[in-house]
Amino acid sequence: MILLLTHLAYATCPQTLYAPTESFGDARGEVSPELSSQLDTLLFPERLPDRAGIRTDQLAIFHQGALIYERAAAGYTPESKHLYWSASKSFTAVLAGIAEHRGLLDPTLSVCEYVETESADTCQVTVHQLMEFSSGIAWRETYEGESPTASAVLAMLYGAGRYDMSRFVGSLNLQDPPGSTYQYSSGDTNLLSAVVRSVLEPHFGRDYAWTLLFDPIGIESATWERDASGTPVGSSYLYLTPHDAARFGHLLLNDGCWEGPGGATERHVPEGWLTAATTLNPAAAGGSNRERGPGENQGRQFWVNWPNPAEGEGPRWSDVPMNAFAAQGHWHQRIFVLPDQELVAVMTADDRDHSIDDNQWLPMAMALAESRGESATSPPASAPDGARLLGTLGGSGEDVFADVLADPAGLEAALESVEGVSVATPEQVTVALPEPPEGFVSTPPPETYDNALLMLATGFAAKEGCSCIFVTGRDEETCKAYLKVSPDVAKIRVDYEAKRVTSRALGMSPSRARWVSERDGCVLE
């Protein structure tokens, strides 16, 4: 059977909101101590040398707005700020939703309506396509284990693009027609961050993220670092405590609504916006992907659990309801939202060898919530066994969602009005993607970017060393161990009086980063 929902800007909010105005309730005494102990054993074992094995830093689990589990590893507390890496992308997306809700951003327009780009090709890209990682911009998102100088993301964060990241992204050519191919790209998000800044900063000032997002939901710990041009690094550089990250998770659990101190409920994103953001997007479902790993399904800057029939894949998290979703980042940073269980789980970690398995601990978190007794919410008895796809209604630009179930009866007829979405069998959903326009020339990413290896190494060490010491407050020895990557050629020197970190590699190629403020953190000079 099929359920079609149009994206309309109603002003309604859920009747029940799990949105603490002061602090979360504490229900740790209401859950099974045996289950809590099992989570301890699984996720907080004795740490192995050389950064191997499970290395969870913090874990906090909330059910119906109350804390039911919390643990921090040695060297961390629940009040410790942590870098969330690419989970930052979901915050950037919500700011775009806030701008859309306030009538300041039209996501169907070209990015060049909002920012200048050096490559004219980039003007073919819409804001929606940035949100869906389908810009077609020539990009290579690679990290450890591959050539550092061939990585677009390392070039942007620590190399040639580090002073103005959106300008760097906007200088690249197109490899694919916009909208035709999915490719996870921190570049897309940082170009989106520049778009968001262009529409919000003139109205709400430099700290628009605090005015419009952090302050209204009670987030007090946020540090969001910027590049030298002043644009927040929307892809990567947000620091929070777990409880403040959970506030963001509860905003999502509440469909973008929040109850303020006076009891008034405010909607922050359009009605239906979050549904679209957490539904399998056309590019991800289209079967035309670059550098995509198994189960890597995106909505709009959120990781989703809907199966991808075009890729022959089931849910990413097999024992979790399919409408679960997450903001997630490098080395296993996670903000999970499980709507059916009214559950939010926040994990930070230093998981460099992929030892943490979400399919192990998430069901344990669900069982912990259920152990609260009759007040706990269980998952639906018959969750849909299919995929959830996002299409466009008749060229109108309105989003339409199709829940594709195992029973194919009437499926094709129901989807006739949905532009770009069709189905041949229940197992094979296809999404019609744009054909290359006449005369389109594909320009693949360069073999190497305008970087020297030592520049990347010192840029990373200076920036992350400064942030580790002056943003998260960790000691120098711990931060030096955290910075150790391969090849381990960069060394840092800390000037505590000036709050500056200098890094050199092999005695040459210095990079410097300095602490700016509590909200801005560190920036590469």
Side-chain angles (χ1 to χ4, degrees), residues 161-165 197 206 225-231 233 514 522-525:
R162 64 194 194 181
Y163 302 119
D164 190 337
M165 297 185 192
R197 179 190 180 191
R206 190 172 185 271
E225 294 176 326
R226 306 169 188 260
D227 62 19
S229 76
T231 302
V233 185
R514 62 182 174 86
C522 291
V523 64
L524 279 163
E525 295 182 333

Side-chain angles (χ1 to χ4, degrees), residues 275-452:
T275 304
T278 58
T279 295
L280 189 63
N281 76 53
S288 179
N289 302 292
R290 294 187 182 274
E291 298 176 0
R292 177 189 178 276
E296 292 185 3
N297 289 325
Q298 279 273 339
R300 291 174 179 165
Q301 309 279 315
F302 287 94
W303 294 94
V304 301
N305 201 35
W306 297 102
N308 192 333
E311 298 289 340
E313 296 172 345
R316 179 180 179 87
W317 307 298
S318 56
D319 295 323
V320 174
M322 285 190 292
N323 61 348
F325 59 92
Q328 61 184 52
H330 202 46
W331 296 337
H332 221 95
Q333 321 315 315
R334 299 287 190 266
I335 305 172
F336 274 105
V337 179
L338 280 63
D340 290 343
Q341 281 71 33
E342 299 163 301
L343 187 147
V344 172
V346 176
M347 171 181 281
T348 66
D350 187 17
D351 182 31
R352 304 200 184 192
D353 61 0
H354 310 291
S355 293
I356 299 174
D357 184 354
D358 294 325
N359 280 310
Q360 281 188 299
W361 70 268
L362 276 174
M364 295 169 66
M366 293 166 53
L368 192 69
E370 292 169 9
S371 75
R372 287 186 74 187
E374 294 181 358
S375 64
T377 303
S378 299
S382 56
D385 182 18
R388 189 152 214 252
L389 300 177
L390 173 64
T392 305
L393 182 60
S396 67
E398 289 188 8
D399 292 335
V400 178
F401 313 103
D403 287 328
V404 184
L405 308 187
D407 179 6
L411 190 57
E412 291 193 54
L415 286 173
E416 284 181 356
S417 64
V418 184
E419 179 182 316
V421 179
S422 62
V423 63
T425 70
E427 293 77 29
Q428 183 182 12
V429 178
T430 60
V431 178
L433 298 174
E435 295 292 330
E438 186 176 351
F440 178 82
V441 177
S442 174
T443 305
E447 291 299 317
T448 61
Y449 288 83
D450 185 18
N451 297 311

Side-chain angles (χ1 to χ4, degrees), residues 81-92 95 209-210 213-214 219 221-226 232-241 244-245 248 327 333 335 348 463-464 467 471-472 519-520:
K81 285 188 184 185
H82 203 287
L83 175 57
Y84 278 76
W85 287 113
S86 286
S88 310
K89 291 177 170 67
S90 300
F91 289 78
T92 301
L95 282 172
W210 281 261
L213 177 55
F214 299 143
I219 289 178
S221 66
T223 296
W224 204 338
E225 294 176 326
R226 306 169 188 260
V233 185
S235 67
S236 312
Y237 283 162
L238 179 62
Y239 298 76
L240 294 165
T241 64
D244 276 350
F248 179 71
Q333 321 315 315
I335 305 172
T348 66
K463 162 65 188 62
E464 301 308 325
S467 300
V471 176
T472 69
R519 288 186 172 183
D520 289 352

Side-chain angles (χ1 to χ4, degrees), residues 15-89:
Q15 287 187 334
T16 300
L17 293 182
Y18 301 112
T21 56
E22 298 297 331
S23 62
F24 291 100
D26 191 340
R28 284 176 289 182
E30 301 175 17
V31 298
S32 164
E34 290 79 13
L35 288 171
S36 294
S37 179
Q38 289 174 23
L39 279 168
D40 289 347
T41 301
L42 173 66
L43 294 175
F44 293 90
E46 181 178 353
R47 295 204 168 189
L48 301 175
D50 299 323
R51 318 201 81 79
I54 291 178
R55 300 175 64 87
T56 311
D57 293 334
Q58 300 158 307
L59 178 62
I61 303 173
F62 302 82
H63 176 239
Q64 297 180 340
L67 180 69
I68 60 172
Y69 177 91
E70 186 161 48
R71 175 92 185 253
Y76 292 90
T77 72
E79 289 73 40
S80 298
K81 285 188 184 185
H82 203 287
L83 175 57
Y84 278 76
W85 287 113
S86 286
S88 310
K89 291 177 170 67

